[in-house]
Amino acid sequence: MFPSEVRDAVTPRATLLIVGVLALQLLFIASYVGALHDPEPKDVPFGVVAPRAASAQAVTRLEQLPGTPLDPRALPDAATARKQINERDIDAALIIDPTGTDTLLVASGGGRSLSATLTALVTTLERAERRTLRTIDVIPSATHDPNGLSSFYLVVGWCVGGYLGAAALALSAGAKPSNPTRAAIRLAVIALVAVLGGLGGALIAGPILDALSGSTAALWGLGTLIIFAVGAATLAFQGLFGTIGIGLVILLVVILGNPSSGGPLPPPLLPPFWKAIGPALPPGAGTWSTRSIAYFDNNAMTGPLLILSAWAVAGAAITLAAAALRKRAQAPTQP
């Protein structure tokens, strides 16, 4: 009796689902540990301000550091360095004073781990040359966001709202909508979830907890876009692959997207694979944009917003197209 009950419970479908869960678990561990276990700076955009005679020499010296941690470029003055940091063209700058103390400009609003890494690196270089260094945080993270992670956690919450909202619709009415009208209704529900969830997240992280500065309206709009992009993508994957589509979204957004987002470790500290894929996935585009709103005067957001918009448009289009094809396939053939 017991063996037959086991056979009835452990169906091929259940076996495949368990194997899939195990695979996602192992991929989760591999992705997070692989991305975050050994942060090393690589080609960090870095400004150098120095007298004309010493500028080229300083840039060359930094270019030749073992492992190429910096991507240095000469800048004319400190004001230009500050401007480029604010515009997110560079992550830090060294101002060399031949008669006194050198100055390192960093921006912990873009990620405290990166600013700390650059401070340690440049301090070591300066000490080796018996020079004195002072560090100025020109764009500090907020008082209630000391590690600069609130932006990342906010985006993670928005992404969770997107794929859980779509998953809830699948559980209540089936993974694959039977016709375009039902698909459109699901997209409308996700849009409503996005508007409400975007507002709620912006209010919690902003006025309520004071974890992030910047425009609450801008954060609301960004949150709405992120939730809808992830939700529409989840509906699209469900429309194409059924329940398995939820697992595929978790693979892209959670397993690959979160560790490559630049949240725990900014992009210059990530290994090449995660650094390459991060900007193309919703958590990466969202985290970059949230930090731009909170700390960098809304600069350098065009690319990430286009990425999120592409996810939203493609997800909605595929959801509707899959439903239309399904309706056509189910229609009775004419004699």
Side-chain angles (χ1 to χ4, degrees):
M1 185 70 177
F2 179 73
S4 63
E5 291 178 349
V6 172
R7 286 195 299 271
D8 292 340
V10 185
T11 62
R13 175 182 172 81
T15 301
L16 287 175
L17 289 174
I18 291 298
V19 171
V21 169
L22 178 60
L24 287 176
Q25 170 195 325
L26 297 178
L27 287 171
F28 183 99
I29 295 170
S31 183
Y32 278 70
V33 176
L36 307 177
H37 78 290
D38 187 24
E40 292 288 343
K42 182 71 173 179
D43 296 325
V44 180
F46 191 83
V48 178
V49 178
R52 183 172 300 178
S55 179
Q57 180 181 358
V59 168
T60 300
R61 176 168 57 88
L62 294 175
E63 285 177 336
Q64 295 175 347
L65 291 174
T68 61
L70 303 178
D71 177 20
R73 69 282 312 263
L75 300 177
D77 51 47
T80 301
R82 288 175 177 266
K83 181 173 182 291
Q84 289 200 11
I85 290 173
N86 188 56
E87 293 176 349
R88 310 198 76 176
D89 293 327
I90 60 175
D91 290 308
L94 178 64
I95 303 171
I96 298 175
D97 183 353
T99 63
T101 301
D102 296 341
T103 302
L104 176 66
L105 305 180
V106 298
S108 63
R112 183 168 293 277
S113 56
L114 178 58
S115 63
T117 298
L118 293 175
T119 299
L121 173 64
V122 177
T123 298
T124 300
L125 295 175
E126 293 281 292
R127 186 180 297 121
E129 297 191 0
R130 298 182 179 180
R131 298 183 64 83
T132 303
L133 180 72
R134 64 169 181 165
T135 300
I136 299 177
D137 194 346
V138 294
I139 304 179
S141 56
T143 302
H144 297 148
D145 183 28
N147 295 315
L149 291 175
S150 294
S151 54
F152 168 65
Y153 294 134
L154 176 59
V155 171
V156 168
W158 280 332
C159 289
V160 168
Y163 65 73
L164 285 186
L169 291 173
L171 290 174
S172 64
K176 298 181 179 181
S178 59
N179 57 63
T181 300
R182 291 182 179 275
I185 292 173
R186 293 191 183 193
L187 288 168
V189 171
I190 291 298
L192 178 61
V193 170
V195 171
L196 296 177
L199 176 59
L203 290 174
I204 291 171
I208 295 176
L209 297 180
D210 195 26
L212 291 175
S213 56
S215 167
T216 300
L219 288 173
W220 179 12
L222 176 63
T224 299
L225 178 57
I226 291 172
I227 296 171
F228 185 78
V230 175
T234 306
L235 290 177
F237 277 110
Q238 290 175 171
L240 293 173
F241 305 108
T243 304
I244 295 174
I246 299 174
L248 295 176
V249 171
I250 292 174
L251 173 64
L252 287 173
V253 175
V254 179
I255 294 176
L256 294 176
N258 285 351
S260 66
S261 67
L265 293 179
L269 298 180
L270 291 171
F273 172 74
W274 287 269
K275 181 179 180 179
I277 67 172
L281 298 174
T287 299
W288 179 276
S289 299
T290 303
R291 284 177 171 163
S292 288
I293 292 172
Y295 297 116
F296 295 93
D297 298 328
N298 302 325
N299 287 319
M301 289 181 59
T302 301
L305 290 180
L306 288 175
I307 292 292
L308 292 169
S309 298
W311 277 82
V313 172
I318 293 172
T319 298
L320 294 171
L325 291 174
R326 189 171 304 106
K327 181 181 179 181
R328 184 179 302 174
Q330 294 173 348
T333 56
Q334 296 295 327

